[in-house]
Amino acid sequence: MKKVHKIGLFDSGLGGLTVLKALEEVLPQVPKIYYGDTLHLPYGDKSDEAIIGYSLRIVEFLRQKGCDVIVIACNSASAAAGAVLEQSFPSLIFVNVIDPVVASLADGNEKKVGLLGTRATVRSEEYPRRLSVLNNNVELVSLPTPLLVPLIEDGFLRSGIAEQVLRHYLNSPSLNGITSIVPGCTHYPLLKELAQKVLKDVRWIDAPEIVAAQVKQWWDSESRLNQPNKNGETEFFVSDKTESFMELAQSTFGISASWETAVLP
Ligand code: DGL
């Protein structure tokens, strides 16, 4: 049995909290640290170099805080920085948010799948590349949807504007004939209900749950020690603390814990 350690998760802002929530369901006993890089949000419109730089600093911060498992709770960072992070921190275990979802697509019976993602994620072509290695029979159509993250981060999730923008994207002719849709950005699971209203017969892939199940499976296979009968605490950090961010974290995810500011060198 190994010592109890911490799981570190990071994202540009609120999105990774969809992964944290799913992880809390399956591994409630494990202490966690969440870092939202609000100072540099959105990641999806940044260069790979910028995303790699932010990610390296965050992982170093999480490592110093005692995390030995890092969940890259951001598709843009998973795509742009995943490999560099693994090389740079060989003593840490990394779980990205792309591989578990790709593996579940490869095992399923999907014919044509739509992927909504940030510009960085779509530009990387990491989803189709990794999927084609596992299963060549699934057609994956990727659509950059850059307006969705700012809408969510600015609190427009439940507004008509969000619905209009989502409708605009989902009406893209390239998505004709898809049987399921992957929210290829950790902010997008918050759009599940709206998307299902627009695309009634299309299956929405529950990406955070798939990622959390993968972490749990690994955790169990490692016989990692859990703190019995006790919920592990989660600490919350941001690079720039604003009232609106904390309000949204509270109203959207029920997080009332206090957020600490940690600006990284
Ligand atoms: N939630 C992140 C992702 O999965 C980043 C979104 C953004 O900051 O653009 O890609």
Side-chain angles (χ1 to χ4, degrees), residues 85-151:
L85 291 175
E86 283 177 26
Q87 276 168 14
S88 308
F89 297 94
S91 63
L92 304 181
I93 307 288
F94 286 93
V95 178
N96 66 68
V97 286
I98 299 177
D99 285 325
V101 174
V102 164
S104 96
L105 288 178
D107 285 347
N109 299 315
E110 309 290 346
K111 291 264 176 307
K112 184 173 175 182
V113 177
L115 170 82
L116 308 181
T118 64
R119 288 195 179 101
T121 298
V122 172
R123 171 182 78 217
S124 76
E125 296 186 355
E126 286 298 323
Y127 273 90
R129 192 182 64 73
R130 296 181 198 192
L131 182 58
S132 68
V133 173
L134 300 177
N135 183 338
N136 243 330
N137 298 319
V138 188
E139 185 189 349
L140 186 83
V141 194
S142 309
L143 192 70
T145 50
L147 289 177
L148 297 177
V149 168
L151 279 173

Side-chain angles (χ1 to χ4, degrees), residues 155-209:
F156 285 90
L157 180 62
R158 288 175 226 301
S159 73
I161 303 172
E163 180 168 346
Q164 232 178 320
V165 171
L166 192 60
R167 264 184 204 282
H168 166 78
Y169 285 136
L170 294 178
N171 283 337
S172 162
S174 66
L175 297 179
N176 282 348
I178 57 169
T179 48
S180 53
I181 196 143
V182 175
C185 166
T186 52
H187 283 73
Y188 300 172
L190 296 170
L191 297 163
K192 178 177 178 175
E193 275 172 38
L194 268 187
Q196 283 180 325
K197 194 168 136 193
V198 179
L199 291 180
K200 292 195 177 55
D201 299 325
V202 174
R203 189 167 76 92
W204 179 268
I205 309 269
D206 289 315
E209 285 73 14

Side-chain angles (χ1 to χ4, degrees), residues 11-12 15-16 41-45 73-77 118 121 149 184-187:
D11 179 46
S12 58
L41 176 100
Y43 276 11
D45 291 336
C74 170
N75 285 263
S76 309
T118 64
T121 298
V149 168
C185 166
T186 52
H187 283 73

